[in-house]
Amino acid sequence: MVKSILAVLLAIVIIVSALLIGACVYLKQAKDVDLVGSVAHAVSVLSEPISKEDVCDHPFDLKQDMANVQFIVNESVEDMIEYHEEHGYKVKFQDLPDEMKAIIYLSDKQVGALAQVVLMQEAVGQVQVNDLYMDIEIYQVKFDKDVNDGNILVNTVFGINTAQYREAMAGTPIEGAIPEILYVSSVNKVIKGEEAFTYTLEHVSLELNHLTPEQTEDFFRTIDMFAHIGTAEYLNGQVGNALIGSLVGSETQRGLAYSLNDIGARDFEFQTRNGEIYFVVVR
């Protein structure tokens, strides 16, 4: 479920680290003043102080929301989620019971809590970059309706703690340009496919720390010209597919809904109940 999420997070850690290093080199060598200015400004903005409250307007409560997830999921699939005082929650994707007993409804905050638990379960909340380990934490998953066509917008916010990288870069020009926590805010539109367990994504926005979506687009577009790491739209698609793919799943990607296909799940939906949007595993 979480392999693709980790791949995306790892890629972003490496990308941003490379960008900061590359920017310093590029500022010295490039002759295009406008190009230099855009990169220099972005690096400057990325280094400004920022807090979780600045980027999250709908954070989940891991303790409360995960307790609700355990109750909801286990009411349908017995003992799929276990809790141990010493080790916390564990989500099982194998050796499941023979039957999915009920439809599963998960709110966006519950989806966020579940994603964070699986991240901790399978990777101890970390990704590795060379000999360094970076702590990863998901802070927010938020569902909203696109006012133009009624499709679902999904916002994912996560943070990457760069303490070990900053320590490794101590005494270099890079040190001061690296934020203590890199916040990534992704918004994608999810369009439900006609066939079961299918969907498409449309890029809406990607933001790094205090950069606006437009500044983030320009930043990645500029860096992509010489580093070839992909545009903001491409990277945002990777983040969106990681999260939604982990919820939906397929024959080639393990996900919550598809993993229950053999015991009664027939599709997924997004439904609105009492003004709140839910991810639904339909039986």
Side-chain angles (χ1 to χ4, degrees):
M1 176 180 178
V2 80
K3 285 184 178 179
S4 56
I5 293 179
L6 291 177
V8 172
L9 299 182
L10 177 58
I12 290 177
V13 170
I14 295 172
I15 286 166
V16 174
S17 300
L19 297 185
L20 293 169
I21 295 171
C24 289
V25 175
Y26 195 65
L27 289 172
K28 295 179 181 178
Q29 297 179 349
K31 298 180 180 181
D32 189 324
V33 176
D34 292 333
L35 204 59
V36 170
S38 65
V39 174
H41 177 70
V43 171
S44 175
V45 172
L46 282 174
S47 66
E48 293 175 358
I50 187 171
S51 68
K52 182 170 67 174
E53 290 71 26
D54 292 330
V55 293
C56 293
D57 60 0
H58 192 67
F60 57 83
D61 182 317
L62 184 61
K63 182 178 180 180
Q64 176 181 327
D65 288 313
M66 194 58 206
N68 292 335
V69 170
Q70 182 186 28
F71 177 80
I72 292 166
V73 172
N74 286 358
E75 281 283 286
S76 177
V77 184
E78 188 175 357
D79 296 330
M80 185 174 184
I81 299 178
E82 300 175 344
Y83 178 78
H84 304 280
E85 187 171 345
E86 182 179 358
H87 301 293
Y89 290 97
K90 178 182 179 180
V91 182
K92 297 191 299 183
F93 293 96
Q94 296 176 335
D95 300 322
L96 297 175
D98 295 332
E99 181 185 7
M100 175 185 172
K101 298 178 181 178
I103 296 173
I104 297 174
Y105 295 88
L106 295 177
S107 70
D108 47 10
K109 290 188 177 184
Q110 292 163 354
V111 165
L114 178 61
Q116 177 61 22
V117 163
V118 175
L119 176 65
M120 292 297 297
Q121 173 181 311
E122 299 198 9
V124 201
Q126 293 182 325
V127 292
Q128 184 178 359
V129 182
N130 296 325
D131 295 328
L132 302 179
Y133 288 86
M134 304 284 186
D135 291 328
I136 301 294
E137 185 172 357
I138 300 171
Y139 298 122
Q140 172 172 299
V141 173
K142 181 180 179 181
F143 299 155
D144 203 355
K145 283 285 184 71
D146 188 320
V147 295
N148 296 315
D149 55 23
N151 286 305
I152 299 300
L153 300 176
V154 178
N155 169 229
T156 307
V157 179
F158 56 87
I160 304 170
N161 190 315
T162 66
Q164 284 206 16
Y165 190 78
R166 287 166 58 87
E167 184 177 338
M169 292 295 104
T172 73
I174 305 301
E175 180 185 11
I178 303 172
E180 293 183 6
I181 296 182
L182 177 69
Y183 292 95
V184 182
S185 179
S186 159
V187 180
N188 281 285
K189 180 193 294 188
V190 183
I191 303 171
K192 180 73 175 66
E194 293 184 2
E195 297 183 5
F197 305 105
T198 63
Y199 64 91
T200 56
L201 294 180
E202 288 186 6
H203 163 69
V204 177
S205 67
L206 185 70
E207 298 178 53
L208 301 179
N209 284 18
H210 286 302
L211 292 178
T212 66
E214 293 76 19
Q215 289 171 331
T216 303
E217 296 266 358
D218 289 341
F219 186 41
F220 280 112
R221 186 182 302 113
T222 299
I223 300 299
D224 186 51
M225 294 176 67
F226 64 89
H228 307 296
I229 50 81
T231 63
E233 179 175 354
Y234 168 77
L235 294 171
N236 194 35
Q238 300 303 298
V239 174
N241 275 312
L243 179 72
I244 303 303
S246 71
L247 290 176
V248 178
S250 67
E251 291 184 359
T252 58
Q253 180 179 0
R254 186 167 68 177
L256 176 62
Y258 196 84
S259 70
L260 305 178
N261 184 36
D262 291 338
I263 63 172
R266 59 181 179 84
D267 203 356
F268 81 96
E269 296 176 354
F270 288 97
Q271 295 182 12
T272 302
R273 307 175 72 191
N274 300 319
E276 188 171 2
I277 301 171
Y278 290 82
F279 173 79
V280 183
V281 182
V282 183
R283 64 186 292 272

